Amino acid sequence: MPVSQIPAELEALGWDPEFEEHFREHGEQGLVPGRVAAEHRGAYAVRTAAGEAWAELAGKLRHETMGRGELPAVGDWVALQPGSGGKATIKAVLPRRTKISRKVAWTETEEQVLAANVDTILLVSSLDHDLNVRRIERYLATAWESGAQPAIVLNKADLCPVEQRSLLVAEVEAVAFGVPVHTVSAVTAEGIDELGPYLRAGRAVVLLGSSGVGKSSLINCLIGSEQLATREIRDDGRGRHTTTHRELLVLPGGGLVIDTPGLRELQLWESSDGLTEAFEDVAALAAACRFNDCGHETEPGCAVREAIRSGSLTAERLDSYRKLQRELARLERRRDARLVSLERKKWRTFAKQQRRNPKTRRR
Ligand code: GDP
Ligand code: ZN
């Protein structure tokens, strides 16, 4: 389908030729595309070109799903079978361009997708006494791992004396490796227009950062405070009515904000790729160590310890690099064990079905 035929309603939600391509086979079966705006107890609010529908997972999808990470998440594009009475069925989840995930607390090995197809991750910190460069490093690692482009937002500029600001910004830029750093205030709206380029129509952003740094205030500021106060309220003639909380918001300027409860308590869940990018400097030093497997402890010819001695690398940075590496190694071991058991389960189920139902397997 030529680009010009993409319905404007879908384009506004971020639909593009690449998703169109992935959707083709579903379209041929009469399904329609939609973007997941919220999830509530196994039911999904899905936005389509024709408006919003509530949808449930097709039984087949539910049963064939091996892990929680394959279930639809807010931001996912799905193939819907429209149903009677406004209830639709989700038949498939289209391949994700990016995803922000975390481990599931009680298993520590299963992945949960907190937001899908996010274009930009705004890593929010505040320019008060809470500014923590180590924390920004961790969030950067998570951001790189997701596939989305990160940008750093330092909020509460109004609380920070101008002469202190440039010092703090320089400190952050030292760990940011070219990731843009924006200084803003959700209260005075200073610097907010610098975020405009991330919020073009159909582009999805996520705000990540510790509690209290001002994420809600920033979203408010972007929406316009009046609108946020009333955004979940509609007047349907039967008086004010509060609808279910939406986790995919469309800003007045056309940008999309994904804000799910899970994103607010993000934990580390990633392989080492993101880690390497966020710690480029340490990795480059380590590559110059005399021994390939240098532990940067007492080995001779250690470039990392030399850098600490000369002051070009801080001991704290090496510490956080090590802490992340340990955490990732631990996750990796558990994830492997988990994958092995999932694989076993899949084969057991498959074998059982074959025994029970020899004919249907031959189709
Ligand atoms: P969240 O937990 O990240 O969503 O943070 P909130 O948006 O709830 O903000 C936490 C507190 O910081 C609230 O009291 C806000 O009023 C305040 N706050 C947020 N942004 C700013 C800012 O730019 N300047 C100042 N002075 N206070 C802010
Ligand atoms: Zn070394």
Side-chain angles (χ1 to χ4, degrees):
M1 185 189 278
V3 182
S4 58
Q5 280 180 33
I6 291 181
E9 294 87 346
L10 284 185
E11 208 171 10
L13 294 170
W15 189 247
D16 63 20
E18 195 185 322
F19 288 121
E20 182 83 38
E21 181 60 32
H22 288 306
F23 182 73
R24 193 194 305 259
E25 55 171 317
H26 302 296
E28 283 162 7
Q29 290 168 32
L31 304 181
V32 299
R35 192 161 194 190
V36 177
E39 193 256 313
H40 187 65
R41 297 183 188 197
Y44 299 85
V46 183
R47 285 171 169 251
T48 70
E52 195 171 278
W54 277 100
E56 274 170 3
L57 279 189
K60 190 167 172 332
L61 186 59
R62 198 193 311 272
H63 296 311
E64 286 178 358
T65 297
M66 295 313 296
R68 209 169 145 183
E70 292 173 33
L71 294 175
V74 173
D76 261 325
W77 283 99
V78 296
L80 285 178
Q81 172 101 68
S84 54
K87 270 268 181 199
T89 309
I90 297 176
K91 295 288 207 179
V93 180
L94 299 193
R96 293 170 178 138
R97 190 171 295 160
T98 69
K99 63 175 177 184
I100 303 174
S101 317
R102 72 162 174 198
K103 61 192 176 184
V104 178
W106 45 273
T107 62
E108 292 205 48
T109 53
E110 198 174 346
E111 178 188 25
Q112 181 189 7
V113 178
L114 305 175
N117 301 316
V118 171
D119 296 291
T120 310
I121 299 181
L122 299 177
L123 301 173
V124 187
S125 291
S126 62
L127 273 171
D128 51 13
H129 51 274
D130 270 345
L131 187 71
N132 182 331
V133 177
R134 303 282 88 86
R135 211 184 288 142
I136 293 177
E137 282 172 342
R138 288 181 73 99
Y139 277 121
L140 267 175
T142 302
W144 285 124
E145 184 62 19
S146 75
Q149 281 298 119
I152 295 171
V153 176
L154 303 177
N155 187 34
K156 307 197 188 182
D158 58 294
L159 294 182
C160 184
V162 179
E163 60 288 357
Q164 235 182 65
R165 272 192 217 175
S166 46
L167 271 172
L168 292 173
V169 170
E171 214 179 293
V172 171
E173 277 175 342
V175 300
F177 296 101
V179 169
V181 180
H182 305 285
T183 305
V184 305
S185 165
V187 166
T188 65
E190 175 192 346
I192 291 294
D193 40 346
E194 283 183 28
L195 307 182
Y198 308 115
L199 298 164
R200 286 194 303 269
R203 309 279 293 170
V205 307
V206 147
L207 284 76
L208 284 188
S210 311
S211 165
V213 295
K215 297 180 297 295
S216 313
S217 308
L218 282 168
I219 295 175
N220 265 316
C221 188
L222 295 168
I223 295 181
S225 45
E226 280 310 300
Q227 294 193 41
L228 182 63
T230 58
R231 79 173 192 239
E232 307 301 351
I233 298 173
R234 66 187 161 88
D235 203 326
D236 59 4
R238 290 170 294 171
R240 298 297 243 183
H241 178 93
T242 307
T243 63
T244 315
H245 175 65
R246 288 294 174 275
E247 294 158 358
L248 177 77
L249 308 170
V250 185
L251 300 177
L256 307 169
V257 176
I258 294 180
D259 181 24
T260 69
L263 282 168
R264 300 231 162 196
E265 37 186 83
L266 185 74
Q267 293 178 55
L268 194 71
W269 170 254
E270 68 227 342
S271 64
S272 52
D273 293 358
L275 176 67
T276 314
E277 271 177 274
F279 283 95
E280 249 169 23
D281 53 343
V282 187
L285 285 168
C289 293
R290 186 177 307 162
F291 300 109
N292 280 341
D293 59 348
C294 184
H296 323 304
E297 305 275 1
T298 54
E299 294 86 347
C302 174
V304 173
R305 273 199 343 263
E306 180 50 40
I308 289 175
R309 232 188 334 263
S310 74
S312 61
L313 181 75
T314 64
E316 290 87 352
R317 192 160 163 82
L318 178 60
D319 266 354
S320 42
Y321 176 72
R322 285 209 169 108
K323 220 185 282 167
L324 273 166
Q325 271 188 323
R326 275 198 301 274
E327 168 98 338
L328 289 171
R330 192 176 60 85
L331 270 174
E332 209 58 62
R333 281 194 302 275
R334 294 197 186 193
R335 182 154 57 171
D336 283 351
R338 172 83 186 170
L339 283 178
V340 169
S341 95
L342 273 176
E343 199 59 23
R344 283 212 190 99
K345 183 176 152 213
K346 189 163 89 186
W347 282 103
R348 251 196 328 264
T349 315
F350 181 66
K352 228 187 275 174
Q353 276 172 352
Q354 272 190 321
R355 266 201 307 276
R356 210 186 295 148
N357 221 346
K359 275 178 226 126
T360 54
R361 305 293 328 167
R362 299 204 54 91
R363 267 188 286 166

